[in-house]
Amino acid sequence: MNSVGTYTLFTDHDVYLFKEGRHYKLYSKFGSHSVEKDGVKGVYFSVWAPNAKKVSVIGNFNNWNHTDHILYPRWDESGIWEGFIAGLTWGTLYKYAVETQRGEILEKSDPYALSWEQNKQAASLVSTTWYEWNDREWMESRWQNNRLRAPLSVYEMHLGSWAREESAPGRFLNYREIAEKLVPYIKEMGFTHVEFMPVMEYPYDPSWGYQVTGFYAATSRFGSPQDLMYLIDELHRNGIGVILDWVPAHFPGDANGLHRFDGTYLYEHEDPRKGFHPDWKSYIFNYGRNEVKSFLISNAMFWLERYHADGLRVDAVTSMLHLDYSRNEGEWEPNIYGGNVNLEAMAFLQEFNTAVYGEFGDQIITIAEESSDFPRLTKPVHDGGIGFGMKWMMGWMHDTLDYFKEDFVNRKFHHHKLTFASMYMYNENYMMPLSHDEVVHGKASLIYKMKGDEWQKFANLRTLYVYMYTHPGAKLLFMGDEFGQTGEWNFTQSLDWHLLKYPVHKGLQELVKELNHIYRSEPAFYENQFEKSGFEWIEADDLENSVYVYLRKGKIKGDVFMVVLNLIPQVMDYKIGIPPGTHWEVVFNSDQETYSGSGVEAEILEERNEEWQNHGKSMTVKLPPLAGIILKQKKDKKYKLHRIKHKR
């Protein structure tokens, strides 16, 4: 006798939207939900398996028996199986036993489960996302912190290896323990946001979370869904935004996951030219299937709504958009126009951005991790764009790191690697990343990418950070880079926090803290970060001296800063052209002893009314070695400051 009762959470309209690919709140329908039927409490289950012969619920409540609790297929050809099991409560372990048309029994975890076990069985748990949030003040005003005109300085981190207890280095800190340490640290350092590498459930630690199986489940490595919510809540209550890495590009072939979910290629393409990723040995979502689009866009909505995420950084967008990504000739199939663009993936990303911005407006932000020159990623969908809020500036990252690896005598031959970004920096809304990908797999830590002896390495990195923080665009720095982690990132252990007892590491940390403060407190460095009016080169071509000079401008007339980078290890007196009537003062010097620099003072030696560098006046500045300095234009009493009108 079947022990499953009839029950449904789906309306006809729900099913219609699901089949059309336009149901964006599927998490309120699919999965396991505590309900009451005819006065009896229990759990409602629903799962999409249109090609299955039979689907039953197995778990610790029925000794994992395939025959006791068989779900009912809906009559509307939606492919949904559902039913009610009395007496079950939160914490019940379960999976779906899916019988294929060939008679094979596949034991699958619930694609919509809110929590998974941490073992090979990886059973789902009947769970809840109920949580009493305390971040109302943040949520009501967060648009001010997440908009493009706000300072956005992001600390990228991997929860499992940011910090561990010295007495138990093999144990993960849980979400609440992380909150206790992380919140005061981010607040002290002055980052505006944290970005968590994937917190969705995944089976394989070396994937760092990018091979997701439980798309709706907060990984139980670090605690319950409510524990993760507590971490986010505490960050919000302290004025810190939270961005989550999101992976709609692919999924692993794990037996418990989405691969061949009902015995067919349901979530992925059957054709390996479209459905299999050769680099990651994973499976690519079928973006042309409406039900899959609903699954993924609902997933994005889920993390933004239920977990109060302030943004999603979308991983591997390049692989999504290009049919020939990491494929040789003959290993991919052109689109209907003969090109290499995955038109279905492009349409999906446009629909995703339209949906989440339509729901949340400028309260949230979406960020594309995209390394090609695919056009108009951050332009509005209605204007032919893909609709992202920002895009990672991968070209800037690679050019900058290549430059800083060069010997000092050779830098003049690579001078324009640091100026090239200004040729395209307003094509998109860029975030400037120094990310985890650059400090693994033999690439060396950031500090050991720098040239020279120990002092020169740290001076180089300090100057690189000055360049990064004063360049147009949002900022992202991977954990450990703020204090000069010497070893490559190792996901199995804590960062080397003990390095902070050494002055060079502590000084670098102090510099990043100060740069965050300058960036956040001075509108000239952020309010025009995506507008041409916010930047001007004074000297971009001094190859022989390896010196760069540029201005950053705010919306208030006279709110101007000058940045000077000296990228060779010698002191020099340097003449700079300035507009007539302007006067300047040095407000920051990366060579200060506070930052473990050599202590050479940056000072203005003289001003002359002579034309220089296409300006009617000049000043000579003493430049410390391998240093970045910031000068501020003094207020001129002859005119009143006025703010230029702008749209939010």
mmCIF file with all atom_site columns, all heavy atoms in Angstrom, residues 278-298:
data_model
loop_
_atom_site.group_PDB
_atom_site.id
_atom_site.type_symbol
_atom_site.label_atom_id
_atom_site.label_alt_id
_atom_site.label_comp_id
_atom_site.label_asym_id
_atom_site.label_entity_id
_atom_site.label_seq_id
_atom_site.pdbx_PDB_ins_code
_atom_site.Cartn_x
_atom_site.Cartn_y
_atom_site.Cartn_z
_atom_site.occupancy
_atom_site.B_iso_or_equiv
_atom_site.pdbx_formal_charge
_atom_site.auth_seq_id
_atom_site.auth_comp_id
_atom_site.auth_asym_id
_atom_site.auth_atom_id
_atom_site.pdbx_PDB_model_num
ATOM 1   N N   . PRO A 1 278 ? 35.031 20.305 -21.280 1.00 0.00 ? 278 PRO A N   1
ATOM 2   C CA  . PRO A 1 278 ? 36.264 19.509 -21.352 1.00 0.00 ? 278 PRO A CA  1
ATOM 3   C C   . PRO A 1 278 ? 37.293 19.860 -20.283 1.00 0.00 ? 278 PRO A C   1
ATOM 4   O O   . PRO A 1 278 ? 38.070 18.994 -19.881 1.00 0.00 ? 278 PRO A O   1
ATOM 5   C CB  . PRO A 1 278 ? 36.798 19.811 -22.759 1.00 0.00 ? 278 PRO A CB  1
ATOM 6   C CG  . PRO A 1 278 ? 36.169 21.108 -23.153 1.00 0.00 ? 278 PRO A CG  1
ATOM 7   C CD  . PRO A 1 278 ? 34.836 21.138 -22.481 1.00 0.00 ? 278 PRO A CD  1
ATOM 8   N N   . ASP A 1 279 ? 37.340 21.101 -19.828 1.00 0.00 ? 279 ASP A N   1
ATOM 9   C CA  . ASP A 1 279 ? 38.322 21.493 -18.813 1.00 0.00 ? 279 ASP A CA  1
ATOM 10  C C   . ASP A 1 279 ? 37.941 20.986 -17.431 1.00 0.00 ? 279 ASP A C   1
ATOM 11  O O   . ASP A 1 279 ? 38.778 20.473 -16.686 1.00 0.00 ? 279 ASP A O   1
ATOM 12  C CB  . ASP A 1 279 ? 38.462 23.017 -18.763 1.00 0.00 ? 279 ASP A CB  1
ATOM 13  C CG  . ASP A 1 279 ? 39.268 23.563 -19.920 1.00 0.00 ? 279 ASP A CG  1
ATOM 14  O OD1 . ASP A 1 279 ? 39.849 22.750 -20.663 1.00 0.00 ? 279 ASP A OD1 1
ATOM 15  O OD2 . ASP A 1 279 ? 39.312 24.792 -20.089 1.00 0.00 ? 279 ASP A OD2 1
ATOM 16  N N   . TRP A 1 280 ? 36.697 21.164 -17.071 1.00 0.00 ? 280 TRP A N   1
ATOM 17  C CA  . TRP A 1 280 ? 36.253 20.878 -15.712 1.00 0.00 ? 280 TRP A CA  1
ATOM 18  C C   . TRP A 1 280 ? 35.568 19.523 -15.580 1.00 0.00 ? 280 TRP A C   1
ATOM 19  O O   . TRP A 1 280 ? 35.138 19.160 -14.488 1.00 0.00 ? 280 TRP A O   1
ATOM 20  C CB  . TRP A 1 280 ? 35.324 22.005 -15.227 1.00 0.00 ? 280 TRP A CB  1
ATOM 21  C CG  . TRP A 1 280 ? 35.961 23.356 -15.338 1.00 0.00 ? 280 TRP A CG  1
ATOM 22  C CD1 . TRP A 1 280 ? 37.272 23.663 -15.053 1.00 0.00 ? 280 TRP A CD1 1
ATOM 23  C CD2 . TRP A 1 280 ? 35.361 24.582 -15.773 1.00 0.00 ? 280 TRP A CD2 1
ATOM 24  N NE1 . TRP A 1 280 ? 37.505 24.991 -15.275 1.00 0.00 ? 280 TRP A NE1 1
ATOM 25  C CE2 . TRP A 1 280 ? 36.362 25.595 -15.717 1.00 0.00 ? 280 TRP A CE2 1
ATOM 26  C CE3 . TRP A 1 280 ? 34.078 24.927 -16.200 1.00 0.00 ? 280 TRP A CE3 1
ATOM 27  C CZ2 . TRP A 1 280 ? 36.103 26.915 -16.071 1.00 0.00 ? 280 TRP A CZ2 1
ATOM 28  C CZ3 . TRP A 1 280 ? 33.824 26.242 -16.558 1.00 0.00 ? 280 TRP A CZ3 1
ATOM 29  C CH2 . TRP A 1 280 ? 34.826 27.221 -16.487 1.00 0.00 ? 280 TRP A CH2 1
ATOM 30  N N   . LYS A 1 281 ? 35.464 18.781 -16.696 1.00 0.00 ? 281 LYS A N   1
ATOM 31  C CA  . LYS A 1 281 ? 34.812 17.464 -16.693 1.00 0.00 ? 281 LYS A CA  1
ATOM 32  C C   . LYS A 1 281 ? 33.436 17.544 -16.044 1.00 0.00 ? 281 LYS A C   1
ATOM 33  O O   . LYS A 1 281 ? 33.025 16.678 -15.267 1.00 0.00 ? 281 LYS A O   1
ATOM 34  C CB  . LYS A 1 281 ? 35.662 16.426 -15.952 1.00 0.00 ? 281 LYS A CB  1
ATOM 35  C CG  . LYS A 1 281 ? 37.131 16.403 -16.365 1.00 0.00 ? 281 LYS A CG  1
ATOM 36  C CD  . LYS A 1 281 ? 37.319 16.198 -17.855 1.00 0.00 ? 281 LYS A CD  1
ATOM 37  C CE  . LYS A 1 281 ? 38.807 16.180 -18.219 1.00 0.00 ? 281 LYS A CE  1
ATOM 38  N NZ  . LYS A 1 281 ? 39.080 16.359 -19.644 1.00 0.00 ? 281 LYS A NZ  1
ATOM 39  N N   . SER A 1 282 ? 32.720 18.597 -16.360 1.00 0.00 ? 282 SER A N   1
ATOM 40  C CA  . SER A 1 282 ? 31.402 18.836 -15.786 1.00 0.00 ? 282 SER A CA  1
ATOM 41  C C   . SER A 1 282 ? 30.389 18.987 -16.910 1.00 0.00 ? 282 SER A C   1
ATOM 42  O O   . SER A 1 282 ? 30.722 18.917 -18.091 1.00 0.00 ? 282 SER A O   1
ATOM 43  C CB  . SER A 1 282 ? 31.431 20.090 -14.908 1.00 0.00 ? 282 SER A CB  1
ATOM 44  O OG  . SER A 1 282 ? 31.888 21.198 -15.661 1.00 0.00 ? 282 SER A OG  1
ATOM 45  N N   . TYR A 1 283 ? 29.139 19.232 -16.532 1.00 0.00 ? 283 TYR A N   1
ATOM 46  C CA  . TYR A 1 283 ? 28.045 19.248 -17.500 1.00 0.00 ? 283 TYR A CA  1
ATOM 47  C C   . TYR A 1 283 ? 27.428 20.638 -17.574 1.00 0.00 ? 283 TYR A C   1
ATOM 48  O O   . TYR A 1 283 ? 27.230 21.306 -16.561 1.00 0.00 ? 283 TYR A O   1
ATOM 49  C CB  . TYR A 1 283 ? 27.013 18.175 -17.131 1.00 0.00 ? 283 TYR A CB  1
ATOM 50  C CG  . TYR A 1 283 ? 27.618 16.801 -17.259 1.00 0.00 ? 283 TYR A CG  1
ATOM 51  C CD1 . TYR A 1 283 ? 28.304 16.225 -16.188 1.00 0.00 ? 283 TYR A CD1 1
ATOM 52  C CD2 . TYR A 1 283 ? 27.589 16.117 -18.469 1.00 0.00 ? 283 TYR A CD2 1
ATOM 53  C CE1 . TYR A 1 283 ? 28.923 14.990 -16.314 1.00 0.00 ? 283 TYR A CE1 1
ATOM 54  C CE2 . TYR A 1 283 ? 28.203 14.875 -18.607 1.00 0.00 ? 283 TYR A CE2 1
ATOM 55  C CZ  . TYR A 1 283 ? 28.867 14.322 -17.529 1.00 0.00 ? 283 TYR A CZ  1
ATOM 56  O OH  . TYR A 1 283 ? 29.493 13.103 -17.666 1.00 0.00 ? 283 TYR A OH  1
ATOM 57  N N   . ILE A 1 284 ? 27.123 21.051 -18.789 1.00 0.00 ? 284 ILE A N   1
ATOM 58  C CA  . ILE A 1 284 ? 26.667 22.411 -19.064 1.00 0.00 ? 284 ILE A CA  1
ATOM 59  C C   . ILE A 1 284 ? 25.143 22.445 -19.134 1.00 0.00 ? 284 ILE A C   1
ATOM 60  O O   . ILE A 1 284 ? 24.528 21.612 -19.796 1.00 0.00 ? 284 ILE A O   1
ATOM 61  C CB  . ILE A 1 284 ? 27.275 22.920 -20.386 1.00 0.00 ? 284 ILE A CB  1
ATOM 62  C CG1 . ILE A 1 284 ? 28.810 22.901 -20.302 1.00 0.00 ? 284 ILE A CG1 1
ATOM 63  C CG2 . ILE A 1 284 ? 26.770 24.319 -20.724 1.00 0.00 ? 284 ILE A CG2 1
ATOM 64  C CD1 . ILE A 1 284 ? 29.491 23.107 -21.648 1.00 0.00 ? 284 ILE A CD1 1
ATOM 65  N N   . PHE A 1 285 ? 24.567 23.397 -18.447 1.00 0.00 ? 285 PHE A N   1
ATOM 66  C CA  . PHE A 1 285 ? 23.114 23.536 -18.439 1.00 0.00 ? 285 PHE A CA  1
ATOM 67  C C   . PHE A 1 285 ? 22.571 23.764 -19.847 1.00 0.00 ? 285 PHE A C   1
ATOM 68  O O   . PHE A 1 285 ? 23.199 24.432 -20.672 1.00 0.00 ? 285 PHE A O   1
ATOM 69  C CB  . PHE A 1 285 ? 22.693 24.705 -17.552 1.00 0.00 ? 285 PHE A CB  1
ATOM 70  C CG  . PHE A 1 285 ? 22.718 24.408 -16.077 1.00 0.00 ? 285 PHE A CG  1
ATOM 71  C CD1 . PHE A 1 285 ? 23.750 24.880 -15.282 1.00 0.00 ? 285 PHE A CD1 1
ATOM 72  C CD2 . PHE A 1 285 ? 21.712 23.666 -15.493 1.00 0.00 ? 285 PHE A CD2 1
ATOM 73  C CE1 . PHE A 1 285 ? 23.775 24.625 -13.925 1.00 0.00 ? 285 PHE A CE1 1
ATOM 74  C CE2 . PHE A 1 285 ? 21.721 23.401 -14.135 1.00 0.00 ? 285 PHE A CE2 1
ATOM 75  C CZ  . PHE A 1 285 ? 22.758 23.883 -13.343 1.00 0.00 ? 285 PHE A CZ  1
ATOM 76  N N   . ASN A 1 286 ? 21.381 23.222 -20.079 1.00 0.00 ? 286 ASN A N   1
ATOM 77  C CA  . ASN A 1 286 ? 20.670 23.435 -21.336 1.00 0.00 ? 286 ASN A CA  1
ATOM 78  C C   . ASN A 1 286 ? 19.828 24.709 -21.191 1.00 0.00 ? 286 ASN A C   1
ATOM 79  O O   . ASN A 1 286 ? 18.693 24.675 -20.718 1.00 0.00 ? 286 ASN A O   1
ATOM 80  C CB  . ASN A 1 286 ? 19.777 22.237 -21.641 1.00 0.00 ? 286 ASN A CB  1
ATOM 81  C CG  . ASN A 1 286 ? 19.063 22.358 -22.975 1.00 0.00 ? 286 ASN A CG  1
ATOM 82  O OD1 . ASN A 1 286 ? 19.060 23.420 -23.596 1.00 0.00 ? 286 ASN A OD1 1
ATOM 83  N ND2 . ASN A 1 286 ? 18.444 21.285 -23.426 1.00 0.00 ? 286 ASN A ND2 1
ATOM 84  N N   . TYR A 1 287 ? 20.402 25.839 -21.607 1.00 0.00 ? 287 TYR A N   1
ATOM 85  C CA  . TYR A 1 287 ? 19.735 27.126 -21.413 1.00 0.00 ? 287 TYR A CA  1
ATOM 86  C C   . TYR A 1 287 ? 18.537 27.315 -22.332 1.00 0.00 ? 287 TYR A C   1
ATOM 87  O O   . TYR A 1 287 ? 17.750 28.239 -22.131 1.00 0.00 ? 287 TYR A O   1
ATOM 88  C CB  . TYR A 1 287 ? 20.741 28.264 -21.633 1.00 0.00 ? 287 TYR A CB  1
ATOM 89  C CG  . TYR A 1 287 ? 21.964 28.140 -20.760 1.00 0.00 ? 287 TYR A CG  1
ATOM 90  C CD1 . TYR A 1 287 ? 23.190 27.774 -21.309 1.00 0.00 ? 287 TYR A CD1 1
ATOM 91  C CD2 . TYR A 1 287 ? 21.896 28.358 -19.392 1.00 0.00 ? 287 TYR A CD2 1
ATOM 92  C CE1 . TYR A 1 287 ? 24.319 27.636 -20.514 1.00 0.00 ? 287 TYR A CE1 1
ATOM 93  C CE2 . TYR A 1 287 ? 23.010 28.220 -18.586 1.00 0.00 ? 287 TYR A CE2 1
ATOM 94  C CZ  . TYR A 1 287 ? 24.221 27.851 -19.158 1.00 0.00 ? 287 TYR A CZ  1
ATOM 95  O OH  . TYR A 1 287 ? 25.329 27.709 -18.364 1.00 0.00 ? 287 TYR A OH  1
ATOM 96  N N   . GLY A 1 288 ? 18.400 26.443 -23.308 1.00 0.00 ? 288 GLY A N   1
ATOM 97  C CA  . GLY A 1 288 ? 17.254 26.540 -24.201 1.00 0.00 ? 288 GLY A CA  1
ATOM 98  C C   . GLY A 1 288 ? 16.030 25.826 -23.677 1.00 0.00 ? 288 GLY A C   1
ATOM 99  O O   . GLY A 1 288 ? 14.953 25.920 -24.279 1.00 0.00 ? 288 GLY A O   1
ATOM 100 N N   . ARG A 1 289 ? 16.177 25.118 -22.548 1.00 0.00 ? 289 ARG A N   1
ATOM 101 C CA  . ARG A 1 289 ? 15.036 24.390 -21.980 1.00 0.00 ? 289 ARG A CA  1
ATOM 102 C C   . ARG A 1 289 ? 14.356 25.267 -20.935 1.00 0.00 ? 289 ARG A C   1
ATOM 103 O O   . ARG A 1 289 ? 14.985 25.709 -19.967 1.00 0.00 ? 289 ARG A O   1
ATOM 104 C CB  . ARG A 1 289 ? 15.498 23.079 -21.356 1.00 0.00 ? 289 ARG A CB  1
ATOM 105 C CG  . ARG A 1 289 ? 14.358 22.198 -20.936 1.00 0.00 ? 289 ARG A CG  1
ATOM 106 C CD  . ARG A 1 289 ? 14.780 20.747 -20.816 1.00 0.00 ? 289 ARG A CD  1
ATOM 107 N NE  . ARG A 1 289 ? 13.612 19.883 -20.813 1.00 0.00 ? 289 ARG A NE  1
ATOM 108 C CZ  . ARG A 1 289 ? 13.659 18.562 -20.927 1.00 0.00 ? 289 ARG A CZ  1
ATOM 109 N NH1 . ARG A 1 289 ? 14.827 17.955 -21.082 1.00 0.00 ? 289 ARG A NH1 1
ATOM 110 N NH2 . ARG A 1 289 ? 12.559 17.847 -20.916 1.00 0.00 ? 289 ARG A NH2 1
ATOM 111 N N   . ASN A 1 290 ? 13.088 25.521 -21.110 1.00 0.00 ? 290 ASN A N   1
ATOM 112 C CA  . ASN A 1 290 ? 12.391 26.483 -20.262 1.00 0.00 ? 290 ASN A CA  1
ATOM 113 C C   . ASN A 1 290 ? 12.431 26.111 -18.786 1.00 0.00 ? 290 ASN A C   1
ATOM 114 O O   . ASN A 1 290 ? 12.626 26.979 -17.921 1.00 0.00 ? 290 ASN A O   1
ATOM 115 C CB  . ASN A 1 290 ? 10.928 26.623 -20.716 1.00 0.00 ? 290 ASN A CB  1
ATOM 116 C CG  . ASN A 1 290 ? 10.803 27.405 -22.007 1.00 0.00 ? 290 ASN A CG  1
ATOM 117 O OD1 . ASN A 1 290 ? 11.705 28.152 -22.379 1.00 0.00 ? 290 ASN A OD1 1
ATOM 118 N ND2 . ASN A 1 290 ? 9.697  27.231 -22.711 1.00 0.00 ? 290 ASN A ND2 1
ATOM 119 N N   . GLU A 1 291 ? 12.235 24.847 -18.480 1.00 0.00 ? 291 GLU A N   1
ATOM 120 C CA  . GLU A 1 291 ? 12.213 24.434 -17.077 1.00 0.00 ? 291 GLU A CA  1
ATOM 121 C C   . GLU A 1 291 ? 13.580 24.646 -16.422 1.00 0.00 ? 291 GLU A C   1
ATOM 122 O O   . GLU A 1 291 ? 13.665 24.933 -15.224 1.00 0.00 ? 291 GLU A O   1
ATOM 123 C CB  . GLU A 1 291 ? 11.799 22.960 -16.968 1.00 0.00 ? 291 GLU A CB  1
ATOM 124 C CG  . GLU A 1 291 ? 10.366 22.674 -17.429 1.00 0.00 ? 291 GLU A CG  1
ATOM 125 C CD  . GLU A 1 291 ? 10.266 22.342 -18.911 1.00 0.00 ? 291 GLU A CD  1
ATOM 126 O OE1 . GLU A 1 291 ? 11.233 22.635 -19.672 1.00 0.00 ? 291 GLU A OE1 1
ATOM 127 O OE2 . GLU A 1 291 ? 9.239  21.793 -19.330 1.00 0.00 ? 291 GLU A OE2 1
ATOM 128 N N   . VAL A 1 292 ? 14.642 24.492 -17.197 1.00 0.00 ? 292 VAL A N   1
ATOM 129 C CA  . VAL A 1 292 ? 15.990 24.714 -16.666 1.00 0.00 ? 292 VAL A CA  1
ATOM 130 C C   . VAL A 1 292 ? 16.202 26.200 -16.393 1.00 0.00 ? 292 VAL A C   1
ATOM 131 O O   . VAL A 1 292 ? 16.798 26.592 -15.384 1.00 0.00 ? 292 VAL A O   1
ATOM 132 C CB  . VAL A 1 292 ? 17.048 24.164 -17.640 1.00 0.00 ? 292 VAL A CB  1
ATOM 133 C CG1 . VAL A 1 292 ? 18.450 24.555 -17.200 1.00 0.00 ? 292 VAL A CG1 1
ATOM 134 C CG2 . VAL A 1 292 ? 16.931 22.654 -17.746 1.00 0.00 ? 292 VAL A CG2 1
ATOM 135 N N   . LYS A 1 293 ? 15.717 27.048 -17.295 1.00 0.00 ? 293 LYS A N   1
ATOM 136 C CA  . LYS A 1 293 ? 15.801 28.495 -17.062 1.00 0.00 ? 293 LYS A CA  1
ATOM 137 C C   . LYS A 1 293 ? 15.060 28.878 -15.780 1.00 0.00 ? 293 LYS A C   1
ATOM 138 O O   . LYS A 1 293 ? 15.558 29.677 -14.984 1.00 0.00 ? 293 LYS A O   1
ATOM 139 C CB  . LYS A 1 293 ? 15.218 29.261 -18.249 1.00 0.00 ? 293 LYS A CB  1
ATOM 140 C CG  . LYS A 1 293 ? 16.104 29.297 -19.473 1.00 0.00 ? 293 LYS A CG  1
ATOM 141 C CD  . LYS A 1 293 ? 15.707 30.400 -20.443 1.00 0.00 ? 293 LYS A CD  1
ATOM 142 C CE  . LYS A 1 293 ? 14.290 30.223 -20.951 1.00 0.00 ? 293 LYS A CE  1
ATOM 143 N NZ  . LYS A 1 293 ? 13.943 31.255 -21.965 1.00 0.00 ? 293 LYS A NZ  1
ATOM 144 N N   . SER A 1 294 ? 13.890 28.312 -15.577 1.00 0.00 ? 294 SER A N   1
ATOM 145 C CA  . SER A 1 294 ? 13.134 28.603 -14.360 1.00 0.00 ? 294 SER A CA  1
ATOM 146 C C   . SER A 1 294 ? 13.902 28.159 -13.122 1.00 0.00 ? 294 SER A C   1
ATOM 147 O O   . SER A 1 294 ? 13.922 28.853 -12.097 1.00 0.00 ? 294 SER A O   1
ATOM 148 C CB  . SER A 1 294 ? 11.771 27.914 -14.401 1.00 0.00 ? 294 SER A CB  1
ATOM 149 O OG  . SER A 1 294 ? 10.872 28.590 -15.255 1.00 0.00 ? 294 SER A OG  1
ATOM 150 N N   . PHE A 1 295 ? 14.527 26.980 -13.203 1.00 0.00 ? 295 PHE A N   1
ATOM 151 C CA  . PHE A 1 295 ? 15.323 26.456 -12.090 1.00 0.00 ? 295 PHE A CA  1
ATOM 152 C C   . PHE A 1 295 ? 16.442 27.420 -11.724 1.00 0.00 ? 295 PHE A C   1
ATOM 153 O O   . PHE A 1 295 ? 16.653 27.738 -10.549 1.00 0.00 ? 295 PHE A O   1
ATOM 154 C CB  . PHE A 1 295 ? 15.899 25.088 -12.474 1.00 0.00 ? 295 PHE A CB  1
ATOM 155 C CG  . PHE A 1 295 ? 16.906 24.534 -11.504 1.00 0.00 ? 295 PHE A CG  1
ATOM 156 C CD1 . PHE A 1 295 ? 16.496 23.874 -10.363 1.00 0.00 ? 295 PHE A CD1 1
ATOM 157 C CD2 . PHE A 1 295 ? 18.272 24.664 -11.745 1.00 0.00 ? 295 PHE A CD2 1
ATOM 158 C CE1 . PHE A 1 295 ? 17.430 23.353 -9.465  1.00 0.00 ? 295 PHE A CE1 1
ATOM 159 C CE2 . PHE A 1 295 ? 19.208 24.148 -10.864 1.00 0.00 ? 295 PHE A CE2 1
ATOM 160 C CZ  . PHE A 1 295 ? 18.782 23.486 -9.719  1.00 0.00 ? 295 PHE A CZ  1
ATOM 161 N N   . LEU A 1 296 ? 17.183 27.893 -12.731 1.00 0.00 ? 296 LEU A N   1
ATOM 162 C CA  . LEU A 1 296 ? 18.349 28.725 -12.469 1.00 0.00 ? 296 LEU A CA  1
ATOM 163 C C   . LEU A 1 296 ? 17.970 30.138 -12.028 1.00 0.00 ? 296 LEU A C   1
ATOM 164 O O   . LEU A 1 296 ? 18.560 30.673 -11.072 1.00 0.00 ? 296 LEU A O   1
ATOM 165 C CB  . LEU A 1 296 ? 19.228 28.782 -13.720 1.00 0.00 ? 296 LEU A CB  1
ATOM 166 C CG  . LEU A 1 296 ? 20.014 27.507 -14.037 1.00 0.00 ? 296 LEU A CG  1
ATOM 167 C CD1 . LEU A 1 296 ? 20.676 27.613 -15.403 1.00 0.00 ? 296 LEU A CD1 1
ATOM 168 C CD2 . LEU A 1 296 ? 21.055 27.230 -12.962 1.00 0.00 ? 296 LEU A CD2 1
ATOM 169 N N   . ILE A 1 297 ? 17.015 30.758 -12.691 1.00 0.00 ? 297 ILE A N   1
ATOM 170 C CA  . ILE A 1 297 ? 16.641 32.114 -12.296 1.00 0.00 ? 297 ILE A CA  1
ATOM 171 C C   . ILE A 1 297 ? 15.973 32.101 -10.926 1.00 0.00 ? 297 ILE A C   1
ATOM 172 O O   . ILE A 1 297 ? 16.202 32.993 -10.102 1.00 0.00 ? 297 ILE A O   1
ATOM 173 C CB  . ILE A 1 297 ? 15.755 32.777 -13.364 1.00 0.00 ? 297 ILE A CB  1
ATOM 174 C CG1 . ILE A 1 297 ? 16.540 32.916 -14.674 1.00 0.00 ? 297 ILE A CG1 1
ATOM 175 C CG2 . ILE A 1 297 ? 15.269 34.150 -12.893 1.00 0.00 ? 297 ILE A CG2 1
ATOM 176 C CD1 . ILE A 1 297 ? 15.750 33.474 -15.836 1.00 0.00 ? 297 ILE A CD1 1
ATOM 177 N N   . SER A 1 298 ? 15.195 31.071 -10.642 1.00 0.00 ? 298 SER A N   1
ATOM 178 C CA  . SER A 1 298 ? 14.637 30.918 -9.295  1.00 0.00 ? 298 SER A CA  1
ATOM 179 C C   . SER A 1 298 ? 15.748 30.786 -8.265  1.00 0.00 ? 298 SER A C   1
ATOM 180 O O   . SER A 1 298 ? 15.655 31.303 -7.145  1.00 0.00 ? 298 SER A O   1
ATOM 181 C CB  . SER A 1 298 ? 13.728 29.693 -9.228  1.00 0.00 ? 298 SER A CB  1
ATOM 182 O OG  . SER A 1 298 ? 12.540 29.885 -9.956  1.00 0.00 ? 298 SER A OG  1
#
